Amino acid sequence: GQQLNQSPQSMFIQEGEDVSMNCTSSSIFNTWLWYKQDPGEGPVLLIALYKAGELTSNGRLTAQFGITRKDSFLNISASIPSDVGIYFCAGTVYGGSQGNLIFGKGTKLSVKP
Amino acid sequence: EPEVTQTPSHQVTQMGQEVILRCVPISNHLYFYWYRQILGQKVEFLVSFYNNEISEKSEIFDDQFSVERPDGSNFTLKIRSTKLEDSAMYFCASSDLGATEAFFGQGTRLTVV
């Protein structure tokens, strides 16, 4: 089946630093979504991307849909302690059905105050 | 803000027993989903449901699993005879017609002993 390669697997950063994580695939994706998951909670949608090359921001978060449609990145600027959590990329594959989201394995973010 | 709600938050069951996990999707959404997440792993698609029928299911969703929308608000996942390997977080999600972004509930932690 389709795989999403998400990196890095984990990050330990100082408060105030910028963060960057990305997902790549050998398959073409129709949409890219970025979710954040806190321990014991469900994934919370951060940003949705629909078109190749699209760059979208949500506060300190910025995400881009790669031009090849096979990758996406998420940047977090000026990190704060509440950014701690696991960030997942997810997407629907070209030719796939609505709602059948393929998830990456997640990037665990730790922020030192 | 509308949200997906799931009950119970935690269910412990003996191997071989039937369990029913319940969800109330966002009220004007038309697509409903179940996903699962084994501890420490990525989120995996189980099934999507639209217009009172399954629209897609993964290979995980075998004959032991079934879904139902018994009334206008609830959406359930039944596991007929639980196995140890069914232990996981089960997330319900919903989305609007034509929308890719799925909104997740807080999950039900199923522990099979």
Side-chain angles (χ1 to χ4, degrees), chain B residues 6-17:
Chain B
Q6 291 185 241
T7 55
S9 57
H10 192 185
Q11 172 104 40
V12 181
T13 188
Q14 289 208 321
M15 193 168 54
Q17 294 296 304

Side-chain angles (χ1 to χ4, degrees), chain B residues 84-96:
Chain B
L84 293 176
E85 54 264 38
D86 292 328
S87 296
M89 282 287 280
Y90 287 81
F91 294 107
C92 174
S94 68
S95 66
D96 204 352

